[in-house]
Amino acid sequence: MFGRLMTRLRECSHSWSAYRRYTSVTAEDVTAFRAIVGPNGVQTDGLDAYNTDWLKTHTGHSELVLRPKSTEEVSSVMSYMNERGLKCVIQSGNTSLVAGSVPIDNEIVLLMGRMNAIESLDTASGILVTQSGSVLQTLEEYVNERGFIMPYDLGAKGSCLIGGNLATNAGGLRFIRYGSLHGSVLGVEVVLPDGQVLDLMSQMRKDNTGYDLKQLFIGSEGTLGVITKVSILCPLKLKHQTVALLSLKSYDHLLKIYDKIRRQLSEYLTSFEMMDALSLEAVVKNLEQSHPLGSHNEFYAMIELSANDKDHMESRLSQVIEELMSEQLISDGTYANDDNHNRFLKLKSYRERIAEGLLRDGYSYKYDISLPLNVFYEIVEVMRERLKDTDCLKVVGYGHIGDCNLHLNITSKAFDKRIKTTIEPFLYEYVAKHKGSISAEHGLGLMKNSYLKYSKPVEAIALMKQIKKLFDPKNTLNPNKVLPND
Amino acid sequence: MGSLRILVGCKRVIDYAVRIRVKPDKKGVITDGIKHSLNPFDEIAVEEAVRLKEKKLAADICAVSIGPQACQETLRTALAMGADRAIHVEVDDKTYQTLQPIHVSKILAKLAADEKIDLVIVGKQAIDDDSNSTAQMTAAFLGWPQATNASKVEPDGAGSVTVTREVDGGLETIKCKTPAVVSADLRLNEPRYATLPNIMKAKKKAIDKKKPSDLGVDVSPRIEILSVEEPPKRESGAKVESVDDLLTKLKGLGRI
């Protein structure tokens, strides 16, 4: 009884109100978990880093972080939590941009990073089998050495884990060439909310036997099960990569070169990104980098080409660029091939570090939308106009123009409610009007679950709720996220 | 009035990011199909020459590379960055294996004399052999002053150049008369990305081909490579629970 009193007093001291949203973790629970994952797998102190998301939009109040090493440990942990009515948020690299993997309140954080064993890579087929806690960059380097690449790539690759990438159906920079994880993932092993291990692992390219359940977990954002193992198809690594940065006068110019490059370099093209002047400025000024071109312009395209024959690829690229320059569609530019790896990576970093650069402004309001190409950039200008009387610092647009996916970002020194209400729900209504997606690749998480109705019909949302109830009747995993709360 | 004629040394080296592997015959490292790029310190040297030209302190930049046919690519990089012309001193693969700074510096010295050069700028060392000798030997062969490990190069346009050098104790500033030899250190500048117009122009610039014999330089080997091996694998460490454990272990290993 004294134990329970102490727990209650401890609970009170963590916040002004004694109310904690979810069932609290007790000392007995901690002991039980320690028996499952070992003393090194339990952490009750110094949890700040796990309680706050990368964008610093939300801080939870978790008092317990667990680090399982194996599927069996995950299964035992889940089964215990489910029985006790405890809530759990699964966290990989904590790189979610919608606060999807931090506790809302006092959920237990299940950290997947210890489960990072790479099990096998079949060099004949390119099929990689790995535990879900492997860092994407580690996997990329591993398969690179053996003649393959991962089918997807993101700026967060140094921190994100493959399990989290699958849970969010990560898109990224190679999407234009290699498509969605729904296509490249061949199998998963998942621990269901009640602890049951569901073996959907496969190393077969084709398997049309029954409903393809793994597709439900891909993109489920940790609400239907814990992904513990992945088998994924890796494309062949082509010998040479070249990245080109081109500067353009207007969005219209960009659309024209996109069309030409897409057609004429289709066999080489692995990435086609765009950034506007302010996005590049965020990297150059905020991260103190030298300007890659020495001349400023309104828009930039960053394209990546891959081929086995370097000379052929570069001569084609240079032909196309010469034509575009003579047609005055490109103002300036540069390109670097990966023979000089340092320079190659540095040039790519001007695109990959935009989010990091913007964060230095203070607070970022991030929107990740799909829109048809003809109105793709219009929303940035509309927003700029709408926000001109507020304290916002920048309104920028950049992203995967090849996939019609715009990252619209607004920054200010600190969170400003007026800015937020000027943006939302106007932005979502605009997207809905153009039949776009309110979240192209970032998912819904905590920040966008109420807006699902702008992209999916009522009947679809009702079915999603039924599916959630079927997999997770006690709502153990990632409660109050992804699906709307009404 | 700047009219410095500059010669820049450009060595083609295995790119720093490549994992080096020793050949099965242990006589060298594998270079076939491996990515090569311009030695980073030479890249800095080229950039400095181009900046001097932009400041109107230099009138002509000649890039030179010594080695097999593929060196032409390295020279194209230098041309794209802004060098005016290039010289490729061709050496076959076998001779290249035993080419040393002493050979290279004789070649650079001869070219500097022939091309009426005022300033030779090279990288302080190449990332493959780390010799850090070519600038010094070239100056000696020419009888010119040398300013190595430069982090700042300031010609006065009147026959002298002030160079800030990175030395162990900090920075040393020296002034020497031109013609002189300078070697570039890391903090001299940040090399630019060649812009498209320059990349296009570079394709049309001529690369002059020469042989060491044309320059009267004997490149026959002065060394014999006995063997090349990987460094011994780092052994894993061991964790101990207490200071007593540590002492016991160290005693057991005969370390104390």
Side-chain angles (χ1 to χ4, degrees):
Chain A
M1 171 134 143
F2 184 69
R4 260 182 282 150
L5 171 65
M6 287 314 292
T7 311
R8 203 83 186 104
L9 288 176
R10 230 181 296 127
E11 280 171 38
C12 294
S13 71
H14 278 271
S15 71
W16 285 113
S17 87
Y19 171 71
R20 270 283 166 255
R21 193 167 183 171
Y22 308 116
T23 310
S24 292
V25 170
T26 64
E28 290 88 39
D29 293 326
V30 177
T31 310
F33 287 126
R34 204 171 269 130
I36 302 172
V37 294
N40 288 339
V42 171
Q43 189 178 339
T44 49
D45 257 334
L47 303 182
D48 288 347
Y50 310 109
N51 268 315
T52 305
D53 65 324
W54 189 72
L55 288 177
K56 299 197 184 0
T57 64
H58 182 85
T59 300
H61 305 280
S62 176
E63 292 171 355
L64 178 63
V65 160
L66 299 175
R67 289 186 172 80
K69 283 188 307 304
S70 68
T71 304
E72 293 69 40
E73 284 182 14
V74 174
S75 170
S76 305
V77 158
M78 282 312 308
S79 158
Y80 182 94
M81 286 197 275
N82 202 46
E83 272 230 36
R84 268 277 288 133
L86 298 167
K87 305 296 182 191
C88 172
V89 58
I90 310 164
Q91 192 175 102
S92 292
N94 196 2
T95 56
S96 169
L97 297 173
V98 289
S101 55
V102 287
I104 298 177
D105 193 5
N106 57 333
E107 306 94 295
I108 297 170
V109 176
L110 188 68
L111 275 184
M112 301 305 293
R114 265 174 114 195
M115 293 178 56
N116 59 359
I118 299 174
E119 298 199 358
S120 67
L121 172 64
D122 177 359
T123 49
S125 60
I127 296 175
L128 172 73
V129 178
T130 172
Q131 281 188 310
S132 59
S134 298
V135 175
L136 177 58
Q137 188 165 323
T138 308
L139 293 174
E140 177 76 24
E141 286 165 9
Y142 179 88
V143 303
N144 280 173
E145 277 173 26
R146 290 157 179 78
F148 293 91
I149 60 171
M150 292 300 287
Y152 67 103
D153 185 26
L154 340 160
K157 61 184 147 217
S159 310
C160 64
L161 311 183
I162 189 170
N165 295 142
L166 256 71
T168 53
N169 189 26
L173 307 159
R174 286 182 193 154
F175 191 95
I176 192 174
R177 174 77 166 233
Y178 300 110
S180 154
L181 286 176
H182 282 294
S184 39
V185 172
L186 302 178
V188 292
E189 178 193 71
V190 183
V191 173
L192 296 177
D194 65 1
Q196 208 193 128
V197 178
L198 188 61
D199 181 3
L200 299 169
M201 283 301 283
S202 167
Q203 299 200 46
M204 292 296 116
R205 285 296 314 274
K206 295 163 122 178
D207 177 21
N208 285 348
T209 52
Y211 303 143
D212 194 2
L213 294 176
K214 69 174 186 291
Q215 302 297 1
L216 270 176
F217 295 102
I218 299 170
S220 62
E221 301 186 52
T223 56
L224 300 179
V226 185
I227 299 170
T228 48
K229 225 188 264 188
V230 178
S231 99
I232 186 167
L233 182 65
C234 296
L236 284 166
K237 182 181 199 307
L238 299 175
K239 286 207 191 99
H240 301 279
Q241 276 79 42
T242 298
V243 59
L245 176 65
L246 310 169
S247 81
L248 310 131
K249 281 208 198 70
S250 75
Y251 182 67
D252 208 54
H253 285 71
L254 176 63
L255 280 186
K256 293 206 174 84
I257 69 148
Y258 171 61
D259 188 69
K260 188 155 184 153
I261 289 175
R262 206 174 113 248
R263 284 172 204 280
Q264 302 213 10
L265 296 173
S266 57
E267 64 267 44
Y268 301 113
L269 196 63
T270 49
S271 177
F272 198 112
E273 300 285 309
M274 74 141 252
M275 2 186 227
D276 61 10
L278 286 174
S279 334
L280 181 60
E281 191 183 287
V283 177
V284 169
K285 284 220 175 98
N286 290 3
L287 300 176
E288 286 162 20
Q289 304 290 310
S290 53
H291 195 287
L293 294 177
S295 66
H296 298 259
N297 219 322
E298 292 307 309
F299 287 91
Y300 300 87
M302 181 164 290
I303 69 171
E304 191 175 320
L305 310 177
S306 302
N308 280 326
D309 185 334
K310 179 174 73 170
D311 293 330
H312 200 244
M313 166 173 70
E314 296 217 332
S315 87
R316 288 287 299 125
L317 173 65
S318 113
Q319 250 179 296
V320 172
I321 286 180
E322 255 175 282
E323 282 169 28
L324 292 172
M325 285 192 81
S326 67
E327 289 167 38
Q328 306 207 310
L329 288 172
I330 306 179
S331 308
D332 200 0
T334 184
Y335 59 85
N337 68 40
D338 71 335
D339 277 2
N340 187 331
H341 204 64
N342 207 17
R343 306 273 266 142
F344 174 75
L345 289 180
K346 177 115 203 262
L347 194 53
K348 293 215 294 177
S349 78
Y350 288 101
R351 162 65 185 91
E352 287 175 5
R353 296 184 75 189
I354 296 177
E356 191 193 332
L358 290 169
L359 206 53
R360 298 273 174 103
D361 274 359
Y363 187 88
S364 295
Y365 309 80
K366 292 183 104 54
Y367 298 93
D368 162 51
I369 54 187
S370 281
L371 284 172
L373 276 186
N374 58 328
V375 292
F376 196 72
Y377 198 72
E378 193 183 280
I379 183 62
V380 180
E381 292 162 340
V382 166
M383 268 304 157
R384 232 172 240 151
E385 181 61 33
R386 241 181 111 79
L387 289 163
K388 70 172 189 270
D389 294 322
T390 65
D391 288 327
C392 92
L393 290 171
K394 294 190 187 52
V395 180
V396 310
Y398 62 95
H400 321 291
I401 187 165
D403 317 324
C404 295
N405 178 193
L406 178 75
H407 292 315
L408 169 67
N409 277 237
I410 293 111
T411 59
S412 61
K413 271 219 174 84
F415 176 70
D416 181 335
K417 190 151 188 195
R418 184 168 164 230
I419 295 179
K420 184 119 191 195
T421 52
T422 309
I423 302 169
E424 300 174 21
F426 171 82
L427 174 68
Y428 297 132
E429 287 159 1
Y430 181 100
V431 171
K433 188 169 80 189
H434 292 281
K435 298 204 176 28
S437 166
I438 58 147
S439 189
E441 37 175 37
H442 292 171
L444 299 169
L446 176 63
M447 285 164 67
K448 299 188 191 173
N449 59 338
S450 344
Y451 302 108
L452 181 48
K453 63 181 188 248
Y454 286 98
S455 282
K456 289 284 184 318
V458 172
E459 304 79 18
I461 300 176
L463 249 178
M464 291 183 206
K465 289 191 173 177
Q466 281 187 282
I467 292 172
K468 166 70 175 172
K469 212 151 170 131
L470 176 68
F471 278 80
D472 190 8
K474 292 185 81 172
N475 199 18
T476 303
L477 277 179
N478 231 3
N480 303 106
K481 292 205 191 103
V482 184
L483 298 179
N485 285 319
D486 33 58
Chain B
M1 58 139 273
S3 56
L4 289 178
R5 291 173 59 82
I6 303 184
L7 184 74
V8 187
C10 301
K11 188 177 183 186
R12 179 178 180 262
V13 297
I14 294 177
D15 188 55
Y16 101 103
V18 170
R19 168 105 78 88
I20 311 288
R21 275 178 235 272
V22 175
K23 283 204 291 218
D25 66 2
K26 291 204 167 179
K27 292 291 186 186
V29 299
I30 299 177
T31 55
D32 269 348
I34 297 290
K35 294 188 193 221
H36 287 70
S37 54
L38 174 58
N39 181 36
F41 294 108
D42 295 340
E43 204 178 358
I44 294 172
V46 173
E47 173 66 25
E48 196 60 23
V50 175
R51 288 189 189 190
L52 289 175
K53 189 161 182 218
E54 285 169 348
K55 288 184 196 148
K56 306 223 190 296
L57 291 165
D60 182 79
I61 305 170
C62 177
V64 61
S65 192
I66 303 154
Q69 177 67 11
C71 288
Q72 304 230 351
E73 227 190 281
T74 311
L75 289 169
R76 291 266 167 236
T77 306
L79 289 169
M81 285 172 70
D84 299 291
R85 55 203 179 87
I87 297 174
H88 172 212
V89 180
E90 193 167 15
V91 177
D92 66 47
D93 285 306
K94 188 160 181 293
T95 315
Y96 194 58
Q97 296 297 318
T98 51
L99 198 71
Q100 291 284 293
I102 193 158
H103 303 120
V104 173
S105 47
K106 281 183 185 163
I107 293 172
L108 291 181
K110 184 70 167 56
L111 286 170
D114 288 349
E115 303 288 330
K116 302 199 182 13
I117 298 296
D118 301 304
L119 198 60
V120 174
I121 315 182
V122 294
K124 71 171 180 183
Q125 65 201 58
I127 61 169
D128 51 9
D129 59 19
D130 279 341
S131 293
N132 199 321
S133 316
T134 301
Q136 294 86 332
M137 289 188 188
T138 307
F141 281 126
L142 286 164
W144 289 4
Q146 61 179 259
T148 59
N149 305 71
S151 62
K152 226 193 231 170
V153 175
E154 295 160 306
D156 65 3
S160 295
V161 58
T162 303
V163 177
T164 306
R165 305 179 56 228
E166 300 215 352
V167 299
D168 285 347
L171 298 173
E172 176 191 71
T173 308
I174 61 175
K175 187 171 178 177
C176 30
K177 292 205 183 70
T178 53
V181 177
V182 170
S183 78
D185 209 328
L186 192 63
R187 275 163 281 271
L188 179 56
N189 61 50
E190 191 191 331
R192 65 193 59 198
Y193 283 98
T195 55
L196 293 176
N198 287 332
I199 297 176
M200 307 287 154
K201 266 190 248 159
K203 296 208 181 127
K204 304 191 180 89
K205 289 178 189 166
I207 296 183
D208 203 3
K209 228 167 157 170
K210 292 190 199 289
K211 286 203 285 290
S213 52
D214 298 338
L215 302 166
V217 176
D218 177 9
V219 289
S220 32
R222 296 163 65 108
I223 59 164
E224 183 196 339
I225 297 174
L226 297 175
S227 85
V228 176
E229 291 179 20
E230 285 194 14
K233 290 243 179 316
R234 188 157 176 249
E235 281 169 23
S236 56
K239 259 192 175 158
V240 293
E241 295 296 314
S242 69
V243 176
D244 288 328
D245 270 355
L246 177 64
L247 292 174
T248 314
K249 237 200 165 85
L250 287 173
K251 280 197 188 124
L253 289 167
R255 303 277 195 213
I256 52 170

mmCIF file of all heavy atoms in Angstrom, chain A residues 202-216:
data_model
loop_
_atom_site.group_PDB
_atom_site.id
_atom_site.type_symbol
_atom_site.label_atom_id
_atom_site.label_comp_id
_atom_site.label_asym_id
_atom_site.label_seq_id
_atom_site.Cartn_x
_atom_site.Cartn_y
_atom_site.Cartn_z
ATOM 1 N N SER A 202 9.435 -13.623 -45.983
ATOM 2 C CA SER A 202 9.488 -14.336 -47.247
ATOM 3 C C SER A 202 10.709 -13.858 -47.996
ATOM 4 O O SER A 202 11.095 -12.695 -47.892
ATOM 5 C CB SER A 202 8.239 -14.048 -48.064
ATOM 6 O OG SER A 202 8.425 -14.493 -49.390
ATOM 7 N N GLN A 203 11.326 -14.748 -48.743
ATOM 8 C CA GLN A 203 12.400 -14.303 -49.609
ATOM 9 C C GLN A 203 12.033 -14.559 -51.056
ATOM 10 O O GLN A 203 12.891 -14.693 -51.924
ATOM 11 C CB GLN A 203 13.701 -14.999 -49.213
ATOM 12 C CG GLN A 203 14.073 -14.636 -47.786
ATOM 13 C CD GLN A 203 15.513 -14.857 -47.487
ATOM 14 O OE1 GLN A 203 16.386 -14.482 -48.257
ATOM 15 N NE2 GLN A 203 15.777 -15.463 -46.341
ATOM 16 N N MET A 204 10.740 -14.625 -51.272
ATOM 17 C CA MET A 204 10.251 -14.835 -52.628
ATOM 18 C C MET A 204 9.784 -13.525 -53.232
ATOM 19 O O MET A 204 9.112 -12.734 -52.581
ATOM 20 C CB MET A 204 9.071 -15.819 -52.601
ATOM 21 C CG MET A 204 9.481 -17.231 -52.224
ATOM 22 S SD MET A 204 10.579 -17.941 -53.448
ATOM 23 C CE MET A 204 12.055 -18.165 -52.487
ATOM 24 N N ARG A 205 10.156 -13.276 -54.494
ATOM 25 C CA ARG A 205 9.704 -12.078 -55.183
ATOM 26 C C ARG A 205 8.197 -12.087 -55.362
ATOM 27 O O ARG A 205 7.546 -11.063 -55.335
ATOM 28 C CB ARG A 205 10.328 -11.980 -56.585
ATOM 29 C CG ARG A 205 11.768 -11.584 -56.682
ATOM 30 C CD ARG A 205 12.054 -10.191 -56.180
ATOM 31 N NE ARG A 205 11.156 -9.148 -56.618
ATOM 32 C CZ ARG A 205 11.269 -8.458 -57.742
ATOM 33 N NH1 ARG A 205 12.243 -8.701 -58.586
ATOM 34 N NH2 ARG A 205 10.410 -7.505 -58.032
ATOM 35 N N LYS A 206 7.675 -13.278 -55.606
ATOM 36 C CA LYS A 206 6.253 -13.343 -55.921
ATOM 37 C C LYS A 206 5.583 -14.371 -55.021
ATOM 38 O O LYS A 206 6.069 -15.474 -54.855
ATOM 39 C CB LYS A 206 6.060 -13.750 -57.388
ATOM 40 C CG LYS A 206 6.599 -12.715 -58.367
ATOM 41 C CD LYS A 206 6.777 -13.300 -59.733
ATOM 42 C CE LYS A 206 5.972 -12.526 -60.753
ATOM 43 N NZ LYS A 206 6.138 -13.007 -62.110
ATOM 44 N N ASP A 207 4.468 -13.970 -54.445
ATOM 45 C CA ASP A 207 3.787 -14.856 -53.509
ATOM 46 C C ASP A 207 2.349 -14.398 -53.388
ATOM 47 O O ASP A 207 2.001 -13.575 -52.536
ATOM 48 C CB ASP A 207 4.510 -14.789 -52.148
ATOM 49 C CG ASP A 207 3.813 -15.631 -51.096
ATOM 50 O OD1 ASP A 207 3.049 -16.546 -51.467
ATOM 51 O OD2 ASP A 207 4.041 -15.365 -49.901
ATOM 52 N N ASN A 208 1.497 -14.904 -54.231
ATOM 53 C CA ASN A 208 0.089 -14.502 -54.209
ATOM 54 C C ASN A 208 -0.742 -15.523 -53.466
ATOM 55 O O ASN A 208 -1.578 -16.219 -54.055
ATOM 56 C CB ASN A 208 -0.426 -14.330 -55.645
ATOM 57 C CG ASN A 208 0.079 -13.047 -56.276
ATOM 58 O OD1 ASN A 208 0.613 -12.186 -55.601
ATOM 59 N ND2 ASN A 208 -0.091 -12.926 -57.577
ATOM 60 N N THR A 209 -0.497 -15.625 -52.164
ATOM 61 C CA THR A 209 -1.226 -16.630 -51.396
ATOM 62 C C THR A 209 -1.988 -15.955 -50.271
ATOM 63 O O THR A 209 -1.458 -15.718 -49.184
ATOM 64 C CB THR A 209 -0.238 -17.657 -50.822
ATOM 65 O OG1 THR A 209 0.802 -16.951 -50.130
ATOM 66 C CG2 THR A 209 0.392 -18.489 -51.928
ATOM 67 N N GLY A 210 -3.245 -15.629 -50.585
ATOM 68 C CA GLY A 210 -4.089 -15.029 -49.549
ATOM 69 C C GLY A 210 -3.929 -13.521 -49.485
ATOM 70 O O GLY A 210 -3.258 -12.909 -50.316
ATOM 71 N N TYR A 211 -4.561 -12.900 -48.501
ATOM 72 C CA TYR A 211 -4.469 -11.440 -48.357
ATOM 73 C C TYR A 211 -3.041 -11.067 -47.973
ATOM 74 O O TYR A 211 -2.427 -11.698 -47.128
ATOM 75 C CB TYR A 211 -5.411 -10.932 -47.257
ATOM 76 C CG TYR A 211 -6.866 -11.283 -47.459
ATOM 77 C CD1 TYR A 211 -7.679 -11.613 -46.383
ATOM 78 C CD2 TYR A 211 -7.444 -11.275 -48.737
ATOM 79 C CE1 TYR A 211 -9.006 -11.912 -46.545
ATOM 80 C CE2 TYR A 211 -8.776 -11.583 -48.912
ATOM 81 C CZ TYR A 211 -9.558 -11.901 -47.826
ATOM 82 O OH TYR A 211 -10.880 -12.209 -47.972
ATOM 83 N N ASP A 212 -2.510 -10.036 -48.596
ATOM 84 C CA ASP A 212 -1.122 -9.652 -48.357
ATOM 85 C C ASP A 212 -1.031 -8.817 -47.086
ATOM 86 O O ASP A 212 -0.952 -7.584 -47.139
ATOM 87 C CB ASP A 212 -0.605 -8.878 -49.582
ATOM 88 C CG ASP A 212 0.902 -8.733 -49.578
ATOM 89 O OD1 ASP A 212 1.554 -9.258 -48.657
ATOM 90 O OD2 ASP A 212 1.434 -8.097 -50.508
ATOM 91 N N LEU A 213 -1.020 -9.500 -45.925
ATOM 92 C CA LEU A 213 -1.091 -8.801 -44.642
ATOM 93 C C LEU A 213 0.063 -7.849 -44.378
ATOM 94 O O LEU A 213 -0.102 -6.841 -43.701
ATOM 95 C CB LEU A 213 -1.153 -9.823 -43.490
ATOM 96 C CG LEU A 213 -2.407 -10.685 -43.433
ATOM 97 C CD1 LEU A 213 -2.286 -11.715 -42.312
ATOM 98 C CD2 LEU A 213 -3.644 -9.817 -43.213
ATOM 99 N N LYS A 214 1.262 -8.152 -44.940
ATOM 100 C CA LYS A 214 2.404 -7.289 -44.611
ATOM 101 C C LYS A 214 2.139 -5.848 -45.042
ATOM 102 O O LYS A 214 2.647 -4.902 -44.443
ATOM 103 C CB LYS A 214 3.695 -7.808 -45.237
ATOM 104 C CG LYS A 214 3.745 -7.694 -46.749
ATOM 105 C CD LYS A 214 5.119 -8.104 -47.259
ATOM 106 C CE LYS A 214 5.248 -7.868 -48.756
ATOM 107 N NZ LYS A 214 4.425 -8.745 -49.587
ATOM 108 N N GLN A 215 1.306 -5.672 -46.092
ATOM 109 C CA GLN A 215 1.046 -4.325 -46.592
ATOM 110 C C GLN A 215 0.325 -3.463 -45.559
ATOM 111 O O GLN A 215 0.437 -2.243 -45.562
ATOM 112 C CB GLN A 215 0.216 -4.373 -47.885
ATOM 113 C CG GLN A 215 0.863 -5.161 -49.000
ATOM 114 C CD GLN A 215 2.188 -4.564 -49.486
ATOM 115 O OE1 GLN A 215 2.652 -3.533 -48.970
ATOM 116 N NE2 GLN A 215 2.800 -5.202 -50.461
ATOM 117 N N LEU A 216 -0.411 -4.119 -44.651
ATOM 118 C CA LEU A 216 -1.108 -3.348 -43.620
ATOM 119 C C LEU A 216 -0.133 -2.732 -42.629
ATOM 120 O O LEU A 216 -0.320 -1.627 -42.143
ATOM 121 C CB LEU A 216 -2.061 -4.260 -42.837
ATOM 122 C CG LEU A 216 -3.474 -4.367 -43.383
ATOM 123 C CD1 LEU A 216 -4.262 -5.375 -42.571
ATOM 124 C CD2 LEU A 216 -4.174 -3.010 -43.334
#
